[in-house]
């Protein structure tokens, strides 16, 4: 593994490791954000566990897959797992289309676009 690839994977992983640890330790705020999306999902599919437990499960995926990606352990699988966890995180956490305040909407659009950029990088890692 080249030093440059290691650095790229470590940089990509940092947000997931930190975010995963934070979400696992304090899931309530993120569970509130996810509540609307999870309620909609529960109308059509059996979504197990409480909202906080689902947030914590997603946090574990992000922290573990972020760590394995940074270490170069199964990088394609790690990037795939991170991408899969990023989609619901983005939809639940940055639903700019639901915001009415222009400043809040703009801020969420930036975060949504940032997550799309990260997802693009993960897709590249997963397929290269």
């Amino acid at each position: 593994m080249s030093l440059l690839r290691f650095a790229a994977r470590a940089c990509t992983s940092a947000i997931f490791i930190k975010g995963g640890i934070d979400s696992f330790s304090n899931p309530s705020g993120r569970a509130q954000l996810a509540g609307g999306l999870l309620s909609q999902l529960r109308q059509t599919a059996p979504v197990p566990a409480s909202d906080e437990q689902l947030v914590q499960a997603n946090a574990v995926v992000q922290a573990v897959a972020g760590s394995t990606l940074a270490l170069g352990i199964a990088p394609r699988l790690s990037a795939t797992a991170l991408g899969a966890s990023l989609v619901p995180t983005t939809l639940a956490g940055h639903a700019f289309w639901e915001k009415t305040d222009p400043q809040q909407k703009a801020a969420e659009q930036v975060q949504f676009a940032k997550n799309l950029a990260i997802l693009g990088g993960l897709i590249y890692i997963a397929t290269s």
Side-chain angles (χ1 to χ4, degrees):
M1 160 175 49
S2 76
L3 183 58
L4 191 55
R5 282 185 185 217
F6 171 77
R9 285 198 289 257
C11 289
T12 302
S13 298
I15 195 166
F16 293 103
I17 296 167
K18 170 94 169 77
I21 291 168
D22 290 348
S23 293
F24 188 83
S25 301
N26 187 16
S28 60
R30 287 179 179 91
Q32 285 181 329
L33 286 174
L37 178 64
L38 292 172
S39 292
Q40 289 176 349
L41 287 174
R42 285 188 176 103
Q43 293 175 5
T44 58
V47 177
S50 72
D51 293 355
E52 286 193 8
Q53 288 172 326
L54 289 170
V55 167
Q56 287 181 313
N58 190 57
V60 169
V61 169
Q62 290 187 347
V64 171
S67 297
T68 56
L69 180 63
L71 295 170
I73 299 169
R76 289 180 180 172
L77 179 60
S78 300
T80 300
L82 290 170
S85 76
L86 186 59
V87 171
T89 299
T90 301
L91 292 174
H94 303 297
F96 64 87
W97 52 91
E98 294 177 353
K99 305 299 180 190
T100 55
D101 177 77
Q103 287 182 321
Q104 198 175 29
K105 184 176 193 140
E108 292 302 338
Q109 285 174 326
V110 168
Q111 294 302 312
F112 190 92
K114 173 201 55 111
N115 282 11
L116 283 180
I118 293 169
L119 181 61
L122 292 170
I123 291 169
Y124 181 80
I125 293 168
T127 60
S128 61

